[in-house]
Amino acid sequence: VVQHSASIEDVARLAGVSIATVSRSLRGLPEVAPSTRARVLAAAAELDYVASPFAARLASGRTSTVGIIVPWLSRWFFAEVLGAVEAELRRASCDLLIFTVGNAEQRDAFFATLPVRKRVDSVIVVSLVLTEAERDALASLRLPIGLVGSSEPGWASVGIDDVAAAELAVNHLIALGHRRIALIGGDTDDPMRFTPPMYRRNGYLNALARAGLAADPDLEVLGYFTTAGGEAAMRTLLAQPDRPTAVFAESDEMAYGALRAARRAGLRVPEDLAIIGFDDHASAELLDLSTIRQPVVELGRRIAAAMLAAVACRDAATHAVTLPTELIVRGSTDRARSTY
Amino acid sequence: VVQHSASIEDVARLAGVSIATVSRSLRGLPEVAPSTRARVLAAAAELDYVASPFAARLASGRTSTVGIIVPWLSRWFFAEVLGAVEAELRRASCDLLIFTVGNAEQRDAFFATLPVRKRVDSVIVVSLVLTEAERDALASLRLPIGLVGSSEPGWASVGIDDVAAAELAVNHLIALGHRRIALIGGDTDDPMRFTPPMYRRNGYLNALARAGLAADPDLEVLGYFTTAGGEAAMRTLLAQPDRPTAVFAESDEMAYGALRAARRAGLRVPEDLAIIGFDDHASAELLDLSTIRQPVVELGRRIAAAMLAAVACRDAATHAVTLPTELIVRGSTDRARSTY
DNA sequence: GTGAAAGCGCTAACAT
DNA sequence: ATGTTAGCGCTTTCAC
């Protein structure tokens, strides 16, 4: 005989109370006599009782789970955010449901069918610029929505100031005396529409303008946010007659590719070519790459907390929070800071 | 008025059938007339109906979710496995519940309370060597269990042959003529007990023995599976009077640290010091690091498929699958293979 | 402070 | 092939 695990009725019987009292005691509701609660807790412990979450969810209408939509799981930034979100939710014993939408097909499928329906009570969207249709689709859920890396009136969001951060990076290059500064970026017309490329490019252009430097379209090359793409982009840049002396890559991974291309071309970094990235990815210190650090874990923690709060109070949590970034100078832009 | 989303009754009414028929039609059960099914499907589409998973789970007793226990989310290997598992489960419209147990406290809490109880119908454990108590705790769930990176009689598992793979790496160094070969490893006595350190160290020792080389305890240093740890370990090794000429690091991330320490010490790689890692981590190619490639995505895909199969048929899926690894020779051991 | 009872929205056994 | 009905295991009013 398969031993059926204890139900609320078993606990009620053992404690000599009704199931309503068991429910109230176990959830810590106020209107229970301390002595009763103690008896119930003891009975529950003795029977090794855990409530069935599905029964509770069905009865209460609350799902105690939040959905999170991410482009990928295995890229550093997303894995880091996800870890922070998971940790924060676990503390509130809330479940996390992950949806990866790494390509257009998955993304369209997600917004067409909205597989979160009837199974989460809030949703977090990471690093996606939403189309109007997508925004409407999410809004139709009538659930609290939290954005990481973008913002929307009426919805909670956390992010960094990508424009200002990119300016910080490019200003650093300018301060070092560079005048021909290239950009290795993402596709601002990408149908997948991630947020960073648009903003970081704007920061790049702002910094140039402010320094009175002309923006040269030849110095903007796509790196597609991959190391291989960054390498190809760098090769393209180095093939030009009037080479840049410095490069701002919109992500560290693209910067790694740029570093490699530079090394393969026999250029010294930073003497012949200065390179700065963006993220402060795990390997950036190792590769002695200057970069912009963003508080990745904090982004995840904050948005998770905001969603928990939003579900708790029906109002709440529609703030847009901007977290600070930091310029990290290493050897790829400044020989004096080199760790070698 | 908040518009309550459609329930199965609404669909039944609109289609002019009973709720049982709706349920059968929507789940694709065989005993429904094609014309009836069409009417139901049309009604469901019109009402934009989605079934409540919680009601279905409560009624059926199946949870359609698998739990996965991982040490961390943000390390490359785990993120990669997780992504593969998620993709495979999503295709079967199965949910994934993640539990990170990155430190002893979390790990103990997990096995003490077993928060998967009543909420998953199978569980995957990634890269943990289970204590007897932990194994018993999991067994007490009476659920299909799947292991990645270890194995257990009666449970499904996928992994690589860590011993053989480590031998492959060390044999490569031996073939290049090295005689003093160091090991940068994980702690085999670590209370967290991850699987790789034990096996990979055994492979290292086997290879030495087979080549008639004496194992020198001074050449074994802990790198704790981090880049910083690997760097510290390498420094320790380089400080010795009779330096090693080659190093096998049990992970690429430790190898990165070793590379850095070597560079800082002014040593040429591979001429003065050959370094080989393990994983074929995303940055390994970039850093021109020789390594052992393991089929990370396939590990995840396989174990997920095994769990789905195990839940479908009550028997099934207790196989231990070993996937092949591959020696990747790059410039860190063999100048001729250098990409620079 | 506690209990009785009516659901929550499905599935599955049984009846037709 | 379809309908009826009894749960699944909780939460939550409403009485007491």
Side-chain angles (χ1 to χ4, degrees):
Chain A
V1 187
V2 175
Q3 105 184 16
H4 228 58
S5 64
S7 84
I8 197 171
E9 294 221 47
D10 301 320
V11 179
R13 205 173 305 124
L14 182 58
V17 296
S18 72
I19 63 167
T21 298
V22 173
S23 175
R24 287 191 274 252
S25 303
L26 262 25
R27 284 181 300 151
L29 298 191
E31 59 261 297
V32 185
S35 63
T36 308
R37 188 189 307 274
R39 277 215 318 289
V40 171
L41 259 33
E46 167 146 6
L47 295 175
D48 204 22
Y49 170 76
V50 269
S52 158
F54 303 127
R57 289 167 191 187
L58 181 56
S60 71
R62 283 173 251 103
T63 68
S64 299
T65 108
V66 355
I68 189 165
I69 306 166
V70 292
W72 307 276
L73 288 184
S74 55
R75 290 211 187 167
W76 175 79
F77 175 84
F78 299 101
E80 209 70 41
V81 168
L82 201 73
V85 167
E86 197 266 347
E88 187 72 14
L89 295 182
R90 177 85 41 222
R91 292 179 39 210
S93 48
C94 195
D95 288 340
L96 182 64
L97 229 39
I98 300 172
F99 297 84
T100 55
V101 295
N103 55 251
E105 188 187 351
Q106 289 180 311
R107 181 167 179 163
D108 293 344
F110 178 88
F111 286 101
T113 66
L114 289 175
V116 288
R117 286 189 292 170
K118 295 195 181 169
R119 56 177 69 202
V120 304
D121 33 39
S122 72
V123 1
I124 296 173
V125 181
V126 186
S127 294
L128 300 179
V129 182
L130 301 171
T131 65
E132 205 172 325
E134 290 171 343
R135 207 166 42 231
D136 293 347
L138 287 177
S140 76
L141 293 171
R142 300 178 174 289
L143 256 30
I145 310 284
L147 268 20
V148 175
S150 62
S151 67
E152 204 66 60
W155 288 353
S157 64
V158 303
I160 57 171
D161 186 340
D162 270 293
V163 179
E167 282 187 48
L168 202 61
V170 178
N171 284 339
H172 169 61
L173 297 175
I174 293 170
L176 290 168
H178 294 282
R179 290 296 171 264
R180 279 194 69 71
I181 300 173
L183 175 74
I184 298 182
D187 192 344
T188 52
D189 291 331
D190 187 324
M192 286 301 293
R193 298 160 52 82
F194 303 118
T195 48
M198 319 177 43
Y199 298 132
R200 294 181 193 171
R201 175 169 181 267
N202 288 342
Y204 163 79
L205 295 174
N206 288 354
L208 292 187
R210 199 157 298 160
L213 299 173
D216 180 349
D218 287 346
L219 292 182
E220 288 188 35
V221 186
L222 296 183
Y224 303 100
F225 278 82
T226 65
T227 298
E231 184 171 358
M234 193 71 245
R235 272 202 303 268
T236 302
L237 288 166
L238 293 179
Q240 297 181 12
D242 190 7
R243 279 185 186 175
T245 65
V247 185
F248 166 47
E250 288 176 5
S251 80
D252 283 351
E253 290 178 275
M254 291 192 289
Y256 298 159
L259 277 173
R260 175 152 68 174
R263 249 199 287 172
R264 283 187 174 163
L267 297 178
R268 290 166 308 159
V269 175
E271 289 81 359
D272 302 325
L273 183 73
I275 300 179
I276 187 167
F278 198 115
D279 276 345
D280 200 26
H281 183 283
S283 308
E285 189 189 356
L286 178 69
L287 290 164
D288 206 20
L289 177 70
S290 294
T291 191
I292 299 293
R293 174 180 298 165
Q294 53 173 325
V296 191
V297 168
E298 188 63 10
L299 290 174
R301 216 193 52 67
R302 292 271 193 125
I303 201 67
M307 291 300 93
L308 290 173
V311 172
C313 343
R314 300 179 45 260
D315 54 316
T318 62
H319 295 336
V321 175
T322 300
L323 265 29
T325 53
E326 188 187 352
L327 172 67
I328 307 290
V329 179
R330 298 200 179 98
S332 71
T333 56
D334 186 349
R335 166 61 60 197
R337 302 297 195 92
S338 174
T339 49
Y340 297 106
Chain B
V1 187
V2 175
Q3 104 183 19
H4 228 57
S5 64
S7 84
I8 197 171
E9 295 220 46
D10 301 320
V11 179
R13 204 172 306 124
L14 183 59
V17 296
S18 73
I19 61 167
T21 299
V22 173
S23 175
R24 287 190 275 251
S25 303
L26 262 26
R27 285 182 297 152
L29 298 191
E31 59 262 299
V32 184
S35 63
T36 308
R37 188 189 306 274
R39 277 215 319 290
V40 171
L41 259 33
E46 167 147 5
L47 295 175
D48 205 22
Y49 170 75
V50 268
S52 159
F54 304 126
R57 289 166 191 188
L58 182 56
S60 70
R62 281 173 251 103
T63 68
S64 299
T65 109
V66 355
I68 189 166
I69 307 165
V70 293
W72 307 277
L73 288 183
S74 56
R75 290 213 186 165
W76 175 79
F77 175 83
F78 300 102
E80 209 70 42
V81 168
L82 202 73
V85 168
E86 198 265 347
E88 187 72 14
L89 294 183
R90 178 84 42 222
R91 291 178 41 210
S93 47
C94 195
D95 288 339
L96 181 64
L97 228 40
I98 299 172
F99 297 84
T100 55
V101 295
N103 55 251
E105 189 187 350
Q106 289 180 311
R107 181 166 179 164
D108 292 344
F110 178 87
F111 287 102
T113 66
L114 290 175
V116 288
R117 286 189 293 169
K118 295 193 182 171
R119 55 178 70 204
V120 304
D121 33 40
S122 71
V123 1
I124 296 172
V125 181
V126 186
S127 295
L128 299 179
V129 182
L130 301 171
T131 64
E132 204 172 328
E134 290 171 342
R135 208 166 42 231
D136 292 348
L138 286 177
S140 76
L141 292 170
R142 301 178 174 288
L143 256 31
I145 309 284
L147 268 20
V148 175
S150 63
S151 66
E152 204 68 59
W155 287 354
S157 64
V158 302
I160 56 172
D161 186 340
D162 270 292
V163 178
E167 283 188 47
L168 203 60
V170 177
N171 283 339
H172 169 61
L173 297 175
I174 291 171
L176 290 169
H178 294 283
R179 291 295 171 265
R180 277 192 72 70
I181 301 173
L183 175 74
I184 298 182
D187 192 344
T188 50
D189 291 332
D190 187 323
M192 287 301 293
R193 297 160 52 83
F194 303 119
T195 47
M198 320 177 40
Y199 298 132
R200 294 181 193 171
R201 174 169 182 267
N202 288 343
Y204 162 79
L205 295 175
N206 288 354
L208 293 187
R210 199 156 299 160
L213 299 172
D216 180 348
D218 287 346
L219 292 182
E220 288 188 35
V221 186
L222 295 183
Y224 303 100
F225 278 82
T226 65
T227 297
E231 184 172 357
M234 193 71 245
R235 271 202 304 269
T236 302
L237 288 166
L238 293 179
Q240 298 182 11
D242 190 8
R243 280 184 184 176
T245 64
V247 185
F248 166 47
E250 289 176 5
S251 80
D252 282 351
E253 291 178 275
M254 292 192 288
Y256 299 158
L259 277 172
R260 176 152 70 175
R263 249 199 287 172
R264 284 186 174 164
L267 297 179
R268 290 167 308 159
V269 174
E271 289 80 359
D272 301 326
L273 183 73
I275 300 178
I276 187 166
F278 197 116
D279 274 347
D280 200 27
H281 183 283
S283 309
E285 189 190 357
L286 178 70
L287 290 164
D288 206 20
L289 177 70
S290 294
T291 191
I292 300 292
R293 175 180 297 166
Q294 53 172 325
V296 190
V297 168
E298 188 64 10
L299 290 175
R301 215 191 54 65
R302 293 269 193 127
I303 200 67
M307 292 299 93
L308 290 173
V311 172
C313 342
R314 300 179 45 261
D315 54 316
T318 62
H319 295 337
V321 174
T322 299
L323 264 31
T325 54
E326 188 186 352
L327 172 68
I328 307 289
V329 180
R330 299 199 180 99
S332 71
T333 55
D334 187 349
R335 166 59 62 197
R337 303 296 194 92
S338 174
T339 50
Y340 297 105

